[in-house]
């Protein structure tokens, strides 16, 4: 079952040494380009500076900003993995399949859990500022 939206090419030769570091960076940039096509990722990138402003208004400490960044990087990584699962599932299941629905639902759940973790953290910092002030 081949999805016509993907083109087949020969497998590239293995890259080793320092060239591998540069190749890996290129793959990551390609991943960001692909992820930018996802509305959810664009929403995440929009939410990051908004949450930064919330922390600034809450007079957050440096470690609060660090935790926020770690949580956002985890959210982006999860969204990237969720998108990867969706790409594979869409390639394998051209019609409706229960495994496809389950895989997509589980990926969505993982993303939602990290969205919740981010919200709990930002909310706790903001609430702490309200109770201090």
């Amino acid at each position: 079952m081949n999805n016509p939206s993907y083109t087949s090419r020969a497998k590239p030769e293995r890259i080793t040494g320092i060239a591998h570091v540069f190749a890996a960076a290129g793959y990551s940039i390609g991943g960001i380009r692909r992820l930018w096509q996802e509305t959810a990722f664009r929403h995440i990138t929009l939410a990051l500076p908004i949450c930064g402003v919330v922390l600034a208004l809450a007079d957050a400490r440096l470690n609060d900003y660090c935790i926020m960044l770690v949580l956002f990087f985890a959210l982006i990584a999860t969204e990237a993995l969720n998108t990867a699962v969706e790409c594979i599932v869409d390639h394998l299941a051209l019609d409706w399949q229960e495994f496809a629905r389950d895989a997509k639902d589980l990926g969505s759940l993982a993303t939602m859990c990290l969205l919740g973790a981010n919200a709990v953290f930002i909310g706790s910092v903001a609430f702490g500022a309200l109770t201090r002030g």
Side-chain angles (χ1 to χ4, degrees):
M1 286 190 274
N2 287 332
N3 189 328
S5 65
Y6 293 97
T7 57
S8 294
R9 294 183 284 178
K11 185 175 180 179
E13 289 189 35
R14 184 172 169 87
I15 301 171
T16 59
I18 191 68
H20 175 73
V21 174
F22 292 106
Y27 303 147
S28 296
I29 290 168
I32 290 170
R33 285 186 183 133
R34 172 57 185 88
L35 200 54
W36 186 255
Q37 297 172 20
E38 299 294 318
T39 302
F41 177 67
R42 293 192 306 270
H43 289 164
I44 291 167
T45 60
L46 178 64
L48 179 59
I50 292 169
C51 290
V53 169
V54 170
L55 290 186
L57 292 172
D59 198 26
R61 300 172 308 213
L62 176 62
N63 66 336
D64 293 327
Y65 287 98
C66 292
I67 292 168
M68 179 191 74
L69 286 174
V70 168
L71 285 170
F72 267 92
F73 283 137
L75 178 58
I76 290 168
T78 302
E79 182 60 36
L81 292 172
N82 183 36
T83 300
V85 167
E86 289 177 353
C87 288
I88 292 169
V89 165
D90 289 345
H91 179 74
L92 295 176
L94 299 178
D95 55 353
W96 188 91
Q97 298 279 334
E98 188 172 347
F99 85 90
R101 182 206 61 210
D102 290 347
K104 288 184 173 191
D105 288 352
L106 290 167
S108 180
L109 172 63
T111 300
M112 187 184 74
C113 288
L114 268 168
L115 282 167
N118 277 272
V120 167
F121 176 72
I122 297 299
S124 69
V125 173
F127 182 74
L130 290 174
T131 58
R132 280 193 316 267

